[in-house]
Amino acid sequence: MTKLTHRLASSLETLARALRRYGRDEGKVLVLGGVRSGKSRHAERLVARHPRLVYVAPGLPAGDDDPEWAARVAAHQARRPSHWKTVETTDLAGTLRKATEPLLIDCLGTWLSRVLDDVGAWRQKPGWEHRLDDRLEDFLAAWAAARVPVVAVSNEVGSGVVPATSSGRLFRDVLGALNNRVSADADRVVLVVAGRALDL
C-alpha cells in the first residue's frame, strides 16, 4: 500500500467512525464515570448540538443544610446553556414517556439514592425490595421505549474498596445492576476517566 492510499484509507476510517458515532448519539447513550471524572461535562458536549433540550435533574435539590452539595448543584446550573429547560423530578419513567425533545439525565446515581429513600430501603421497611423492583423496572421499560435522543449519566462504582456500611454496599450493588441493564439497551456506552472518554 502506498503512502497516499494508506492516508486515504485512514481518512475514510476516521470518517466512518465519526458517522457511526453520530448515528449512535442520536439514540440512547449511557455515560459512566467516577466522581469528578468529567462524565457530566462529556455528556453535556454530546448533547450540545441540539437546539432544544430538557435537562433532567433527579437528585436532591440544593438546601441550606448542605453547602457542599449546594455548591455542586450551582456549578452544574451555571454551565447549562440558557436555552436548556431544566426539570427536577424523580419520575424518570414518566419524563421519558412524555418526552418530545432530547433529554440529558444527570444522574442515575443521585436518582437511585432518592428512590432507595422513597421505598424505605435505608430503614428496611417491609416490602421495600418489591417497591424498588417496581420503580426500577418501570424506568427500564421507559428507557427501552424512548423515542427521543437520551443521554443518561451514571456513577461507575465498585472499583474501589468495599463500602464499610450496609447501606453503602446496597447502593453499590443496586447501581451496578442498574447500570448493567441500562447499558444493555443503550446504543452507545462511554466510560469517562480523568476527563478522557472511552467507548465501551
Side-chain angles (χ1 to χ4, degrees):
M1 182 180 290
T2 66
K3 288 184 178 179
L4 178 60
T5 55
H6 181 76
R7 282 201 297 271
L8 180 60
S10 178
S11 299
L12 289 173
E13 178 57 29
T14 300
L15 177 60
R17 280 200 303 269
L19 289 172
R20 288 196 296 270
R21 181 168 300 172
Y22 181 83
R24 289 186 294 162
D25 287 350
E26 285 302 300
K28 291 171 286 189
V29 181
L30 174 64
V31 178
L32 297 167
V35 175
R36 304 292 190 184
S37 62
K39 60 187 182 301
S40 291
R41 287 184 183 276
H42 182 78
E44 291 160 9
R45 285 195 292 271
L46 289 179
V47 298
R49 68 178 181 279
H50 295 298
R52 299 167 68 88
L53 181 114
V54 177
Y55 182 99
V56 185
L60 279 174
D64 296 334
D65 58 334
D66 190 342
E68 188 271 341
W69 178 250
R72 286 177 181 242
V73 173
H76 276 248
Q77 292 171 336
R79 66 172 187 253
R80 288 177 210 156
S82 59
H83 64 277
W84 287 8
K85 176 184 176 184
T86 297
V87 174
E88 296 183 355
T89 181
T90 58
D91 183 14
L92 294 187
T95 302
L96 280 164
R97 292 189 175 105
K98 292 185 294 187
T100 57
E101 297 174 348
L103 301 177
L104 170 55
I105 301 171
D106 193 359
C107 76
L108 297 183
T110 54
W111 173 71
L112 177 63
S113 180
R114 293 187 73 182
V115 170
L116 287 168
D117 189 46
D118 289 346
V119 301
W122 307 134
R123 301 176 298 282
Q124 298 287 294
K125 291 179 65 175
W128 70 266
E129 295 99 332
H130 294 300
R131 291 190 292 276
L132 176 63
D133 286 344
D134 288 346
R135 291 284 296 273
L136 297 183
E137 291 300 330
D138 189 34
F139 163 70
L140 290 166
W143 170 263
R147 292 293 178 264
V148 297
V150 187
V151 175
V153 178
S154 190
N155 300 94
E156 178 59 26
V157 294
S159 300
V161 298
V162 175
T165 64
S166 59
S167 58
R169 293 190 292 275
L170 171 66
F171 177 79
R172 177 200 59 180
D173 292 348
V174 176
L175 184 59
L178 176 63
N179 287 344
N180 265 278
R181 296 282 302 278
V182 173
S183 170
D185 203 0
D187 298 291
R188 183 184 176 196
V189 181
V190 179
L191 175 65
V192 181
V193 180
R196 293 178 177 262
L198 174 67
D199 273 286
L200 301 179

